[in-house]
Amino acid sequence: MKAAELIAKAKAEGRTALTEAESKKVLAEYGVPVVTETVAWTPAEAVAAAEKIGFPVVLKGLGTKLTHKTERGLVRLHLDNGAEVRRAATEVSAAAGDDLEGFLIQPLLAGRRELVAGLVCDAQFGPVVMFGLGGIFTEALDDVVFRIAPLDANHAGEMIDELRAKKLLGPFRGDGAADREALIRALVGLSRLGTELTDVTEADINPLLIGPDGRVTAVDALILIGERPAQRRPTPPIDPYAIGKLFYPRSIAFVGASGVLGKWGYRLFCNVVAGGFKGPIYLVNPKGEKIADRPSFKTVAEIPGPVDLAVVTIPAAKVLELIPQFREKGIRNMLLITAGFGETGAEGRRLEETLIESARAAGILILGPNTMGICNPHGALFCCGSNVRPQPGSTTIVSQSGNLGVQLLDFAEHEGIGIRAFGGSGNEAMITIEDYMEAFEVDELTRTVVLYLESVKNGRRFFESARRVGKKKPVVMLKGGRTQAGNRAAASHTGALASNIRIFDAAAHQAGIVVVEQPMGLLDLSASFSSLPLPRGNRVAVMTLGGGWGVVASDLCVESGLTIPELSPEIIARIDRILPPYWSRSNPIDLVGEVATTIPLQVIEALMEWEGCDAVIHLGILGLKVFLTQMIASIKVVDPVQDRSLLAVIPETIDGFEKEFLKKTANLMEQYGKPVFGVNLLPDTEARTVTEIEGSPYKGVSFLTPERAVKSLAKMYAYGQWRDREK
């Protein structure tokens, strides 16, 4: 009987699980190597089957309700003769009671290495394949990885390589290496099973035994059947070009404009005008009074000219009344700042749904509600709740937390990180994160995507769109709400291990999303991705003004998956001509206190030309000005005869050196295609993370700590490796 027929028969009988024997038949059909076994219905048949297989054997109780046989004492190992088989069958029968349907007789397979593999169906992402370290301690050891189906052989191979205990799969204490191809076929088979057999809700193989000769065998298996988790009804997709137009309005109406300090209708209007928006601005207030010495209109119908974007701040209960007015006026875009919708509970959700249904019927696009606003520096549009005005650039930020989003904008402005656009996505009643992803894909000015997410509405669409975008430009994400939303009551190890956040993380990893753990990581990586070339490999040359920093940076590199290569004789000989004879002749390269302005420039040029490295980190070369300014202040107090004019020129000299150094590194990055990361010697209130270099596609990037520089480089390398694999 074929797999689909077995499942149909089980469903017709009202079952929610296949027996172990049926489960293995299904798995075998999908390429999973399963143990050869015999079903026996009586103790006598069990003895006969054991004699035919050959001792020693394993006897298990068989039944659709027997999903945890080991815990119930229904497994007997090392049975060496017929008498032992008969006795085991009698004991298992007594322990299982009415749940027993028969016995399963298997040869006793040798093997010290036990793995687990399985399938679970997620409400957001659909079928998900799991692989990890198995046996009775599966949940305790928790060494498992997940992938969204469908998988190919490359994805399956990555799962194997990501196990912490992957060394167990190589030659191990006299045992041969695990059959990698068999493991890959099993994982790809589970993926096919999940996509083709839609009545399967979970599958679990534990253990997947590795024999002394490396042979892979599924010894125990369970397949659950039934209805898969109901997926949320998808929202209609939004034209990505329509989203782009919303960020380029030619005219704006503020509906709910106010002259009261602190009101949203006052704050947003002021920020837009002060930010230099060039188009007509109309104020709408039911009283029709002057606001900021400007006229206001009682309704949008009174506005004399066309309106591209309406910024709405009136109370939630009155927003629905605007839809027919906007339709009549020809307003097709609404930035709905107002709160009081879906985030407030059931009544608010009903109001939100009614509003969106009405807006769709009228052809009106709504961003929000409950948003902090948007900005587009390229169009001089700064319509946010906070008065931030970052410079135009290539990083687009979408945040499901408005406060966090404007804080990121403020940091970007301070650190010189150029912004393509920003959107506080609010409740995403109409424009969802999935729509934004597809807009990023077609927007030529966006080179880096930065996301703060707490949830997605359509996991599968998000996964697929993020994967497409990631092949063109990096997507950097911070995920909020990382605690497990709820416990899954599952009969399988796979279901027990498949938490919401683990599956989300797996989807992000598989889609090439660069995941960070803290808000600062979002901006660090946006600075790096938008300013530096991707490293071609993981070999790092470290140049430092002090030995300790070099050691710390080297340790951080190795711990982050980067390498610190030994210097070649050729590069040593070249640096010998630059540094004193007592330099270390090793990587990291300590400049041994040589602060003459020409020396760091010469050494970094030598490292960039060296074929033995893929990236350079320099520490303490920038930020000398703070150190020397403090030193000069002390000298002025201590030494009244020291030449004051000489002291005055030192900061100017350092400024000139740092500008020349950054210009040189940008030119070298352009010439050799290697990123250069800096770490400042001391914090400088005037210094920025990113320094523009005129005439260069690259910029100077310098952080305040080695950790930030190394982490950014490691994430860039990992993203580049993913993109190369996806080509």
Side-chain angles (χ1 to χ4, degrees):
M1 192 178 293
K2 294 291 186 181
E5 295 171 331
L6 275 173
I7 292 170
K9 177 177 178 291
K11 284 193 71 176
E13 294 171 356
R15 290 196 270 146
T16 59
L18 301 184
T19 67
E20 181 179 342
E22 291 171 332
S23 297
K24 288 175 184 167
K25 284 182 181 179
V26 172
L27 291 168
E29 189 173 321
Y30 280 87
V32 178
V34 300
V35 64
T36 302
E37 59 192 14
T38 301
V39 175
W41 305 108
T42 66
E45 289 183 11
V47 172
E51 290 173 344
K52 185 174 181 180
I53 290 172
F55 297 104
V57 298
V58 175
L59 181 143
K60 299 178 180 179
L62 185 65
T64 56
K65 297 180 180 179
L66 304 181
T67 55
H68 290 292
K69 292 184 284 293
T70 301
E71 289 86 338
R72 291 184 62 175
L74 306 181
V75 179
R76 295 292 188 274
L77 307 174
H78 301 287
L79 304 178
D80 293 321
N81 54 59
E84 291 183 3
V85 171
R86 187 179 297 277
R87 183 167 56 251
T90 302
E91 293 170 351
V92 166
S93 179
D98 293 340
D99 293 338
L100 186 74
E101 298 173 15
F103 306 99
L104 204 55
I105 311 301
Q106 303 171 348
L108 179 65
L109 299 182
R112 294 178 289 179
R113 295 168 290 178
E114 295 185 346
L115 304 173
V116 62
L119 174 83
V120 67
C121 294
D122 182 73
Q124 280 281 6
F125 296 98
V128 180
V129 177
M130 184 269 276
F131 177 67
L133 205 59
I136 61 173
F137 300 116
T138 299
E139 286 93 339
L141 297 173
D142 200 21
D143 186 6
V144 294
V145 293
F146 293 86
R147 283 292 187 280
I148 310 301
L151 304 184
D152 59 23
N154 290 332
H155 294 133
E158 290 170 14
M159 293 180 75
I160 295 169
D161 293 336
E162 286 177 23
L163 287 185
R164 296 192 302 272
K166 63 183 177 182
K167 287 185 178 180
L168 288 175
L169 303 182
F172 180 75
R173 295 191 174 185
D175 289 351
D179 184 342
R180 183 180 177 89
E181 293 305 313
L183 290 173
I184 289 173
R185 286 194 300 273
L187 295 174
V188 172
L190 282 167
S191 170
R192 285 181 48 233
L193 187 156
T195 54
E196 294 176 10
L197 301 180
T198 56
D199 289 322
V200 172
T201 58
E202 288 185 23
D204 192 66
I205 306 168
N206 188 26
L208 189 61
L209 192 68
I210 310 299
D213 59 355
R215 184 179 300 177
V216 176
T217 309
V219 176
D220 199 352
L222 170 68
I223 289 179
L224 303 182
I225 57 176
E227 296 295 324
R228 291 184 173 181
Q231 295 186 331
R232 183 183 299 177
R233 186 177 65 183
T235 57
I238 304 297
D239 178 2
Y241 294 99
I243 296 174
K245 288 180 181 178
L246 189 148
F247 282 79
Y248 278 96
R250 291 166 296 181
S251 57
I252 301 175
F254 287 89
V255 181
S258 170
V260 178
L261 190 68
K263 289 273 191 178
W264 278 91
Y266 180 78
R267 185 192 314 176
L268 292 170
F269 154 64
C270 288
N271 289 347
V272 169
V273 174
F277 180 73
K278 299 297 189 296
I281 292 176
Y282 305 104
L283 307 181
V284 180
N285 183 288
K287 296 179 181 179
E289 58 192 13
K290 277 194 170 185
I291 297 173
D293 204 30
R294 292 172 176 244
S296 69
F297 304 93
K298 292 183 178 180
T299 67
V300 295
E302 296 178 9
I303 296 174
V307 175
D308 281 343
L309 175 66
V311 180
V312 176
T313 56
I314 66 173
K318 296 182 177 296
V319 175
L320 188 60
E321 300 171 10
L322 294 176
I323 298 301
Q325 299 176 44
F326 283 15
R327 180 176 54 196
E328 185 69 23
K329 180 64 181 173
I331 300 173
R332 294 292 177 260
N333 294 305
M334 181 195 299
L335 177 61
L336 183 51
I337 304 295
T338 307
F341 288 93
E343 79 281 2
T344 62
E347 186 176 344
R349 282 194 295 274
R350 284 192 293 271
L351 177 60
E352 183 173 294
E353 290 167 1
T354 303
L355 172 66
I356 297 306
E357 183 179 347
S358 179
R360 282 204 180 97
I364 297 170
L365 182 63
I366 296 179
L367 193 160
N370 189 28
T371 171
M372 284 284 282
I374 62 174
C375 87
N376 174 12
H378 294 269
L381 175 64
F382 299 97
C383 191
C384 294
S386 181
N387 190 24
V388 289
R389 295 179 204 149
Q391 66 190 40
S394 59
T395 295
T396 297
I397 301 174
V398 171
S399 175
Q400 290 181 340
S401 163
N403 286 326
L404 178 62
V406 295
Q407 287 170 0
L408 292 174
L409 283 183
D410 183 67
F411 181 82
E413 180 181 8
H414 182 267
E415 296 300 321
I417 300 170
I419 296 299
R420 162 65 183 106
F422 161 78
S425 63
N427 292 2
E428 298 185 12
M430 185 179 286
I431 306 176
T432 67
I433 191 63
E434 296 81 23
D435 295 310
Y436 288 114
M437 292 302 299
E438 290 168 8
F440 302 147
E441 186 178 5
V442 300
D443 182 55
E444 295 181 357
L445 289 180
T446 297
R447 287 180 52 196
T448 305
V449 174
V450 170
L451 304 175
Y452 170 74
L453 298 186
E454 293 176 358
S455 65
V456 295
K457 285 185 165 58
N458 187 330
R460 176 63 65 163
R461 183 179 165 210
F462 171 75
F463 166 70
E464 291 172 352
S465 60
R467 194 170 180 177
R468 290 196 310 271
V469 173
K471 293 177 182 179
K472 300 178 181 179
K473 56 196 81 175
V475 178
V476 185
M477 180 187 73
L478 172 65
K479 176 69 169 67
R482 297 190 56 82
T483 56
Q484 186 172 341
N487 295 320
R488 183 192 300 268
S492 71
H493 293 284
T494 306
L497 290 163
S499 66
N500 295 343
I501 189 59
R502 295 181 83 153
I503 292 176
F504 192 96
D505 284 347
H509 176 79
Q510 194 172 341
I513 295 174
V514 183
V515 179
V516 300
E517 294 75 35
Q518 298 174 338
M520 184 64 71
L522 292 175
L523 272 300
D524 284 353
L525 279 165
S526 69
S528 302
F529 276 121
S530 63
S531 306
L532 307 173
L534 283 178
R536 299 189 189 100
N538 67 343
R539 301 168 300 172
V540 185
V542 178
M543 180 176 82
T544 174
L545 206 60
W549 254 13
V551 173
V552 168
S554 298
D555 288 342
L556 289 168
C557 284
V558 173
E559 291 164 359
S560 300
L562 305 172
T563 62
I564 305 295
E566 292 292 333
L567 301 180
S568 68
E570 293 77 16
I571 190 68
I572 290 174
R574 180 165 178 181
I575 298 177
D576 274 342
R577 297 194 292 271
I578 303 169
L579 293 178
Y582 47 84
W583 78 282
S584 63
R585 291 179 174 77
S586 64
N587 186 17
I589 296 125
D590 186 349
L591 298 184
V592 291
E594 293 293 325
V595 294
T597 55
T598 58
I599 287 177
L601 287 168
Q602 290 174 306
V603 174
I604 199 167
E605 183 169 9
L607 293 175
M608 292 292 278
E609 290 180 15
W610 179 38
E611 294 183 356
C613 77
D614 304 297
V616 175
I617 297 177
H618 60 81
L619 304 103
I621 310 302
L622 303 178
L624 275 171
K625 183 178 176 181
V626 175
F627 173 78
L628 292 175
T629 300
Q630 293 170 343
M631 184 185 73
I632 290 168
S634 297
I635 290 172
K636 286 180 178 179
V637 172
V638 174
D639 189 351
V641 299
Q642 183 58 253
D643 186 346
R644 269 18 184 197
S645 61
L646 175 62
L647 296 178
V649 82
I650 290 175
E652 297 176 12
T653 303
I654 293 300
D655 276 341
F657 158 71
E658 292 193 351
K659 289 177 182 176
E660 180 62 24
F661 183 82
L662 290 171
K663 181 180 178 181
K664 181 70 172 179
T665 58
N667 293 339
L668 290 170
M669 285 191 285
E670 194 170 351
Q671 184 176 357
Y672 296 103
K674 301 177 183 180
V676 176
F677 290 81
V679 179
N680 284 15
L681 177 65
L682 290 171
D684 186 345
T685 55
E686 298 178 7
R688 290 182 162 192
T689 301
V690 175
T691 302
E692 294 279 344
I693 307 298
E694 187 176 354
S696 174
Y698 300 117
K699 305 176 182 69
V701 173
S702 189
F703 296 109
L704 295 180
T705 67
E707 293 91 333
R708 290 169 62 186
V710 171
K711 186 173 288 188
S712 296
L713 173 55
K715 299 265 188 191
M716 287 183 76
Y717 167 69
Y719 167 72
Q721 293 294 105
W722 174 86
R723 199 169 71 172
D724 288 344
R725 290 194 301 269
E726 290 291 315
K727 287 181 179 178

Short mmCIF file of all heavy atoms in Angstrom, two decimals, residues 508-553:
data_model
loop_
_atom_site.label_atom_id
_atom_site.label_comp_id
_atom_site.label_asym_id
_atom_site.label_seq_id
_atom_site.Cartn_x
_atom_site.Cartn_y
_atom_site.Cartn_z
N ALA A 508 14.74 32.90 8.90
CA ALA A 508 15.60 34.06 8.66
C ALA A 508 16.98 33.61 8.17
O ALA A 508 17.52 34.17 7.21
CB ALA A 508 15.73 34.87 9.95
N HIS A 509 17.53 32.61 8.80
CA HIS A 509 18.85 32.10 8.41
C HIS A 509 18.82 31.57 6.98
O HIS A 509 19.70 31.85 6.17
CB HIS A 509 19.28 31.00 9.38
CG HIS A 509 20.56 30.33 9.01
ND1 HIS A 509 21.79 30.90 9.27
CD2 HIS A 509 20.81 29.15 8.39
CE1 HIS A 509 22.74 30.09 8.83
NE2 HIS A 509 22.17 29.03 8.29
N GLN A 510 17.79 30.81 6.68
CA GLN A 510 17.67 30.19 5.36
C GLN A 510 17.45 31.25 4.27
O GLN A 510 17.89 31.08 3.13
CB GLN A 510 16.51 29.20 5.37
CG GLN A 510 16.46 28.24 4.20
CD GLN A 510 15.39 27.18 4.42
OE1 GLN A 510 14.95 26.96 5.56
NE2 GLN A 510 14.96 26.54 3.36
N ALA A 511 16.77 32.36 4.62
CA ALA A 511 16.52 33.43 3.66
C ALA A 511 17.69 34.39 3.54
O ALA A 511 17.61 35.34 2.76
CB ALA A 511 15.26 34.19 4.07
N GLY A 512 18.76 34.16 4.31
CA GLY A 512 19.93 35.03 4.22
C GLY A 512 19.82 36.30 5.02
O GLY A 512 20.63 37.22 4.85
N ILE A 513 18.81 36.41 5.90
CA ILE A 513 18.67 37.60 6.73
C ILE A 513 19.80 37.64 7.76
O ILE A 513 20.11 36.64 8.40
CB ILE A 513 17.30 37.62 7.44
CG1 ILE A 513 16.18 37.73 6.40
CG2 ILE A 513 17.21 38.76 8.44
CD1 ILE A 513 14.79 37.61 6.99
N VAL A 514 20.39 38.80 7.92
CA VAL A 514 21.46 38.98 8.91
C VAL A 514 20.80 39.37 10.23
O VAL A 514 20.28 40.48 10.36
CB VAL A 514 22.46 40.06 8.46
CG1 VAL A 514 23.60 40.18 9.46
CG2 VAL A 514 22.99 39.75 7.07
N VAL A 515 20.80 38.47 11.18
CA VAL A 515 20.10 38.68 12.44
C VAL A 515 21.05 39.26 13.47
O VAL A 515 22.17 38.77 13.65
CB VAL A 515 19.50 37.35 12.96
CG1 VAL A 515 18.79 37.57 14.30
CG2 VAL A 515 18.53 36.77 11.93
N VAL A 516 20.61 40.32 14.15
CA VAL A 516 21.40 40.92 15.23
C VAL A 516 20.64 40.77 16.54
O VAL A 516 19.43 40.50 16.55
CB VAL A 516 21.72 42.41 14.96
CG1 VAL A 516 22.52 42.55 13.67
CG2 VAL A 516 20.45 43.24 14.88
N GLU A 517 21.34 40.94 17.64
CA GLU A 517 20.74 40.70 18.95
C GLU A 517 20.37 41.99 19.67
O GLU A 517 19.62 41.97 20.64
CB GLU A 517 21.72 39.91 19.84
CG GLU A 517 22.01 38.50 19.35
CD GLU A 517 22.93 38.46 18.14
OE1 GLU A 517 23.85 39.32 18.07
OE2 GLU A 517 22.74 37.60 17.27
N GLN A 518 20.92 43.13 19.21
CA GLN A 518 20.68 44.40 19.90
C GLN A 518 20.43 45.50 18.88
O GLN A 518 20.91 45.42 17.74
CB GLN A 518 21.88 44.76 20.78
CG GLN A 518 22.17 43.76 21.88
CD GLN A 518 23.45 44.07 22.63
OE1 GLN A 518 24.32 44.77 22.11
NE2 GLN A 518 23.57 43.55 23.84
N PRO A 519 19.70 46.56 19.27
CA PRO A 519 19.44 47.66 18.33
C PRO A 519 20.69 48.25 17.72
O PRO A 519 20.71 48.61 16.54
CB PRO A 519 18.69 48.68 19.18
CG PRO A 519 18.02 47.87 20.25
CD PRO A 519 18.99 46.75 20.55
N MET A 520 21.78 48.36 18.51
CA MET A 520 23.01 48.94 17.98
C MET A 520 23.53 48.14 16.79
O MET A 520 24.11 48.71 15.84
CB MET A 520 24.09 48.99 19.08
CG MET A 520 25.38 49.66 18.64
SD MET A 520 25.16 51.41 18.23
CE MET A 520 24.88 52.08 19.87
N GLY A 521 23.30 46.84 16.81
CA GLY A 521 23.76 46.01 15.70
C GLY A 521 23.12 46.38 14.39
O GLY A 521 23.72 46.25 13.32
N LEU A 522 21.86 46.86 14.43
CA LEU A 522 21.18 47.28 13.20
C LEU A 522 21.94 48.41 12.52
O LEU A 522 22.18 48.39 11.31
CB LEU A 522 19.76 47.73 13.52
CG LEU A 522 18.76 46.67 13.99
CD1 LEU A 522 17.44 47.32 14.37
CD2 LEU A 522 18.54 45.62 12.91
N LEU A 523 22.33 49.42 13.32
CA LEU A 523 23.02 50.56 12.73
C LEU A 523 24.46 50.26 12.39
O LEU A 523 24.99 50.75 11.39
CB LEU A 523 22.94 51.75 13.69
CG LEU A 523 21.70 52.65 13.53
CD1 LEU A 523 21.62 53.24 12.13
CD2 LEU A 523 20.43 51.92 13.83
N ASP A 524 25.12 49.45 13.21
CA ASP A 524 26.50 49.07 12.89
C ASP A 524 26.56 48.38 11.53
O ASP A 524 27.43 48.66 10.70
CB ASP A 524 27.06 48.14 13.96
CG ASP A 524 27.44 48.88 15.24
OD1 ASP A 524 27.40 50.13 15.23
OD2 ASP A 524 27.77 48.21 16.23
N LEU A 525 25.62 47.47 11.30
CA LEU A 525 25.65 46.73 10.04
C LEU A 525 25.15 47.57 8.88
O LEU A 525 25.61 47.41 7.74
CB LEU A 525 24.85 45.44 10.16
CG LEU A 525 25.64 44.32 10.83
CD1 LEU A 525 24.74 43.19 11.26
CD2 LEU A 525 26.71 43.79 9.89
N SER A 526 24.22 48.47 9.14
CA SER A 526 23.81 49.35 8.05
C SER A 526 24.97 50.25 7.65
O SER A 526 25.19 50.51 6.46
CB SER A 526 22.60 50.19 8.46
OG SER A 526 22.94 51.14 9.45
N ALA A 527 25.76 50.70 8.62
CA ALA A 527 26.95 51.49 8.31
C ALA A 527 27.95 50.67 7.49
O ALA A 527 28.50 51.14 6.50
CB ALA A 527 27.60 51.99 9.60
N SER A 528 28.16 49.43 7.91
CA SER A 528 29.16 48.59 7.25
C SER A 528 28.72 48.19 5.84
O SER A 528 29.48 48.32 4.88
CB SER A 528 29.43 47.34 8.10
OG SER A 528 29.87 47.70 9.39
N PHE A 529 27.50 47.67 5.73
CA PHE A 529 27.03 47.21 4.42
C PHE A 529 26.94 48.35 3.41
O PHE A 529 27.19 48.15 2.23
CB PHE A 529 25.66 46.54 4.56
CG PHE A 529 25.72 45.10 4.96
CD1 PHE A 529 25.10 44.67 6.12
CD2 PHE A 529 26.37 44.17 4.17
CE1 PHE A 529 25.14 43.33 6.49
CE2 PHE A 529 26.41 42.83 4.54
CZ PHE A 529 25.80 42.41 5.70
N SER A 530 26.55 49.54 3.87
CA SER A 530 26.36 50.65 2.93
C SER A 530 27.64 51.40 2.63
O SER A 530 27.66 52.25 1.75
CB SER A 530 25.32 51.63 3.49
OG SER A 530 25.77 52.20 4.70
N SER A 531 28.73 51.07 3.33
CA SER A 531 29.96 51.85 3.19
C SER A 531 31.17 51.05 2.72
O SER A 531 32.16 51.64 2.27
CB SER A 531 30.32 52.49 4.54
OG SER A 531 29.25 53.24 5.06
N LEU A 532 31.11 49.71 2.82
CA LEU A 532 32.29 48.88 2.60
C LEU A 532 32.00 47.76 1.61
O LEU A 532 30.86 47.32 1.49
CB LEU A 532 32.76 48.26 3.92
CG LEU A 532 32.98 49.20 5.11
CD1 LEU A 532 33.28 48.40 6.36
CD2 LEU A 532 34.12 50.17 4.81
N PRO A 533 33.04 47.28 0.91
CA PRO A 533 32.85 46.09 0.07
C PRO A 533 32.71 44.84 0.93
O PRO A 533 33.20 44.79 2.06
CB PRO A 533 34.13 46.04 -0.77
CG PRO A 533 35.16 46.73 0.08
CD PRO A 533 34.43 47.79 0.85
N LEU A 534 32.01 43.83 0.40
CA LEU A 534 31.91 42.55 1.12
C LEU A 534 33.25 41.84 1.11
O LEU A 534 33.94 41.82 0.09
CB LEU A 534 30.87 41.65 0.45
CG LEU A 534 29.40 41.94 0.68
CD1 LEU A 534 28.56 40.95 -0.13
CD2 LEU A 534 29.04 41.86 2.15
N PRO A 535 33.63 41.24 2.23
CA PRO A 535 34.88 40.44 2.23
C PRO A 535 34.70 39.19 1.39
O PRO A 535 33.65 38.56 1.41
CB PRO A 535 35.08 40.10 3.71
CG PRO A 535 33.70 40.14 4.30
CD PRO A 535 32.96 41.21 3.55
N ARG A 536 35.74 38.82 0.65
CA ARG A 536 35.67 37.61 -0.19
C ARG A 536 35.96 36.35 0.62
O ARG A 536 35.63 35.25 0.20
CB ARG A 536 36.67 37.73 -1.34
CG ARG A 536 36.41 38.91 -2.26
CD ARG A 536 37.30 38.83 -3.51
NE ARG A 536 37.23 40.05 -4.29
CZ ARG A 536 38.13 41.02 -4.26
NH1 ARG A 536 39.19 40.91 -3.47
NH2 ARG A 536 37.99 42.10 -5.00
N GLY A 537 36.62 36.51 1.75
CA GLY A 537 36.95 35.38 2.61
C GLY A 537 36.96 35.82 4.05
O GLY A 537 36.54 36.93 4.39
N ASN A 538 37.48 34.97 4.95
CA ASN A 538 37.42 35.27 6.39
C ASN A 538 38.79 35.53 7.00
O ASN A 538 38.94 35.52 8.22
CB ASN A 538 36.74 34.13 7.13
CG ASN A 538 37.54 32.85 7.12
OD1 ASN A 538 38.46 32.68 6.31
ND2 ASN A 538 37.21 31.93 8.00
N ARG A 539 39.81 35.80 6.16
CA ARG A 539 41.15 36.06 6.68
C ARG A 539 41.31 37.54 7.00
O ARG A 539 41.10 38.39 6.15
CB ARG A 539 42.20 35.63 5.66
CG ARG A 539 42.13 34.15 5.26
CD ARG A 539 42.99 33.86 4.04
NE ARG A 539 42.56 34.65 2.88
CZ ARG A 539 43.23 34.70 1.73
NH1 ARG A 539 44.36 34.03 1.58
NH2 ARG A 539 42.78 35.44 0.71
N VAL A 540 41.72 37.84 8.25
CA VAL A 540 41.76 39.22 8.73
C VAL A 540 43.18 39.60 9.13
O VAL A 540 43.83 38.88 9.88
CB VAL A 540 40.81 39.41 9.93
CG1 VAL A 540 40.77 40.87 10.35
CG2 VAL A 540 39.42 38.90 9.60
N ALA A 541 43.62 40.74 8.63
CA ALA A 541 44.87 41.33 9.10
C ALA A 541 44.52 42.42 10.11
O ALA A 541 43.64 43.25 9.86
CB ALA A 541 45.66 41.92 7.94
N VAL A 542 45.19 42.39 11.25
CA VAL A 542 44.91 43.35 12.32
C VAL A 542 46.11 44.25 12.51
O VAL A 542 47.25 43.77 12.66
CB VAL A 542 44.58 42.62 13.64
CG1 VAL A 542 44.34 43.63 14.77
CG2 VAL A 542 43.36 41.72 13.47
N MET A 543 45.87 45.55 12.49
CA MET A 543 46.94 46.54 12.69
C MET A 543 46.56 47.39 13.89
O MET A 543 45.44 47.93 13.96
CB MET A 543 47.06 47.42 11.44
CG MET A 543 48.12 48.48 11.52
SD MET A 543 48.28 49.39 9.95
CE MET A 543 46.95 50.57 10.12
N THR A 544 47.46 47.49 14.85
CA THR A 544 47.09 48.16 16.10
C THR A 544 48.21 49.04 16.63
O THR A 544 49.40 48.78 16.40
CB THR A 544 46.73 47.11 17.17
OG1 THR A 544 46.52 47.75 18.42
CG2 THR A 544 47.84 46.07 17.34
N LEU A 545 47.80 50.08 17.34
CA LEU A 545 48.77 50.97 17.96
C LEU A 545 49.21 50.46 19.33
O LEU A 545 50.15 50.97 19.91
CB LEU A 545 48.15 52.37 18.11
CG LEU A 545 49.12 53.56 18.16
CD1 LEU A 545 49.95 53.64 16.90
CD2 LEU A 545 48.35 54.86 18.37
N GLY A 546 48.51 49.42 19.82
CA GLY A 546 48.88 48.85 21.11
C GLY A 546 48.69 47.35 21.10
O GLY A 546 47.69 46.85 20.56
N GLY A 547 49.60 46.58 21.68
CA GLY A 547 49.57 45.13 21.57
C GLY A 547 48.34 44.47 22.14
O GLY A 547 47.79 43.54 21.57
N GLY A 548 47.86 44.96 23.30
CA GLY A 548 46.72 44.32 23.95
C GLY A 548 45.46 44.33 23.10
O GLY A 548 44.75 43.33 23.02
N TRP A 549 45.22 45.46 22.48
CA TRP A 549 44.05 45.55 21.61
C TRP A 549 44.13 44.55 20.47
O TRP A 549 43.14 43.97 20.07
CB TRP A 549 43.94 46.97 21.07
CG TRP A 549 42.84 47.74 21.71
CD1 TRP A 549 42.14 47.40 22.83
CD2 TRP A 549 42.30 48.98 21.25
NE1 TRP A 549 41.21 48.36 23.12
CE2 TRP A 549 41.28 49.35 22.17
CE3 TRP A 549 42.59 49.84 20.20
CZ2 TRP A 549 40.55 50.52 22.04
CZ3 TRP A 549 41.86 51.00 20.06
CH2 TRP A 549 40.85 51.34 20.97
N GLY A 550 45.31 44.37 19.94
CA GLY A 550 45.47 43.42 18.84
C GLY A 550 45.16 42.00 19.27
O GLY A 550 44.52 41.24 18.54
N VAL A 551 45.58 41.65 20.48
CA VAL A 551 45.30 40.31 21.01
C VAL A 551 43.80 40.13 21.20
O VAL A 551 43.22 39.10 20.82
CB VAL A 551 46.05 40.08 22.34
CG1 VAL A 551 45.63 38.76 22.98
CG2 VAL A 551 47.56 40.12 22.12
N VAL A 552 43.16 41.13 21.79
CA VAL A 552 41.71 41.06 22.02
C VAL A 552 40.97 40.93 20.69
O VAL A 552 40.06 40.09 20.54
CB VAL A 552 41.23 42.31 22.79
CG1 VAL A 552 39.70 42.39 22.79
CG2 VAL A 552 41.74 42.28 24.23
N ALA A 553 41.32 41.76 19.72
CA ALA A 553 40.65 41.72 18.42
C ALA A 553 40.86 40.37 17.74
O ALA A 553 39.94 39.83 17.12
CB ALA A 553 41.15 42.85 17.54
#
